[in-house]
Amino acid sequence: MAALSFIIGIIGNIISILVFTSPIKTFRQVVKKKSTENYKSIPYITTLLSTSLWTFYGLIKPGGLLISTVNGAGVLFQFIYVTLFLIYAPKDKKVRTAQLVAGLNVGFLGSVIAVTLLALHGSLRLTFVGILCAGLTVGMYASPLSAMRTVIKTESVEYMPFFLSFFLFLNAGIWSAYAVLVKDFYVGVPNAVGFVLGTAQLILYTVYKKKSMSSTDKMEEEGSAHLVKGMIQMRALDEDDEKAAALKNRSLSKGRSLPKPSAIRQYSFQRILKTFSLNPHEIHSNWAPEVDVENGEKINHS
């Protein structure tokens, strides 16, 4: 049993470290942009407090080496995240973050350690620190409840990342099994709560992911139908445009076959000027038709 609990504890260490390293991508962007933007510091400050207390719990508990090592790694990661917040946060957030760090991670943590070592003795030490650690861990596992409420309200899993939910579920399950093997009530109860909440998150993810996919497929089908309808309408408009262009070309070709009004007016004006330049005899010969006396017919001059 001791060997099995040690193996499960090692697996729990690995999974917990994966959970602790999940915000690295976020803080890489923070360093790159040199701004924390709209990110909140509270989750990292409370996680730093929780891992610090669990590290202290592992140190005072006999056989608590695996608890202290994994939470010691968590303290290191959370300390780095909080430090980056203090460096890159805007001035108002920087002041508020510094106040929370001073109050929780220095003042409260220091008070707990001082009371435990100076005022408490024997099993009371473990009970006092264990209850505090269990309460903080339950709060940590309950924090995604707001995300679950958002998923139900919006029927979308956009605001509940799958891998974070999956690793929290896996982490809680492994540490629950470890607690059963080593008979540690303070480790078992909060991780059992986390296991139940993690299971609920995965169920919600599965249900609403299918709904999201079905709604997406429906939207794609409707979009395809609108696209086909639009293509048909565009084709009809193109045919109408072609007919209108053909009629216009036909009208233009007819217009080109007729004499231009300006040319007609110019020809008439030239004819009138020529008439005024002739003498009476020339006018008569040009405008008065000659008559064949014998036949009584008009003679045209070509």
Side-chain angles (χ1 to χ4, degrees), residues 40-55:
K40 307 295 183 182
S41 61
I42 290 289
Y44 307 102
I45 294 173
T46 54
T47 306
L48 176 59
L49 176 61
S50 176
T51 51
S52 299
L53 284 174
W54 275 115
T55 303

Side-chain angles (χ1 to χ4, degrees), residues 162-174:
F162 171 76
F163 285 107
L164 181 59
S165 300
F166 176 73
F167 279 116
L168 286 174
F169 158 80
L170 203 59
N171 184 64
I174 289 293

Side-chain angles (χ1 to χ4, degrees), residues 12-33:
N13 272 251
I14 295 171
I15 295 173
S16 296
I17 290 173
L18 289 175
V19 174
F20 293 144
T21 57
S22 60
I24 287 179
K25 183 178 180 181
T26 299
F27 281 93
R28 187 182 293 119
Q29 294 297 322
V30 167
V31 173
K32 184 177 180 181
K33 295 180 180 180

Side-chain angles (χ1 to χ4, degrees), residues 147-164:
M148 295 169 67
R149 185 168 55 249
T150 304
V151 169
I152 296 172
K153 186 177 180 180
T154 62
E155 297 187 355
S156 172
V157 296
E158 180 181 359
Y159 300 104
M160 192 173 69
F162 171 76
F163 285 107
L164 181 59

Side-chain angles (χ1 to χ4, degrees), residues 65-203:
L65 176 64
L66 294 176
I67 297 174
S68 59
T69 53
V70 66
N71 286 283
V75 169
L76 177 61
F77 282 108
Q78 302 307 319
F79 178 78
I80 293 172
Y81 301 150
V82 172
T83 302
L84 290 174
F85 247 99
L86 291 172
I87 294 173
Y88 294 109
K91 187 176 181 180
D92 54 340
K93 287 185 178 181
K94 188 178 296 186
V95 172
R96 191 160 54 250
T97 300
Q99 291 172 346
L100 288 172
V101 169
L104 294 176
N105 301 117
V106 178
F108 181 75
L109 180 62
S111 300
V112 169
I113 293 174
V115 169
T116 303
L117 295 178
L118 299 177
L120 300 176
H121 304 281
S123 60
L124 284 178
R125 289 181 175 180
L126 204 62
T127 302
F128 176 66
V129 179
I131 291 173
L132 288 176
C133 291
L136 286 172
T137 305
V138 169
M140 182 189 72
Y141 280 124
S143 60
L145 286 175
S146 59
M148 295 169 67
R149 185 168 55 249
T150 304
V151 169
I152 296 172
K153 186 177 180 180
T154 62
E155 297 187 355
S156 172
V157 296
E158 180 181 359
Y159 300 104
M160 192 173 69
F162 171 76
F163 285 107
L164 181 59
S165 300
F166 176 73
F167 279 116
L168 286 174
F169 158 80
L170 203 59
N171 184 64
I174 289 293
W175 285 108
S176 297
Y178 174 84
V180 170
L181 291 173
V182 299
K183 297 180 176 59
D184 192 322
F185 177 80
Y186 304 112
V187 174
V189 170
N191 282 286
V193 173
F195 182 76
V196 172
L197 292 176
T199 303
Q201 288 183 55
L202 293 180
I203 292 173

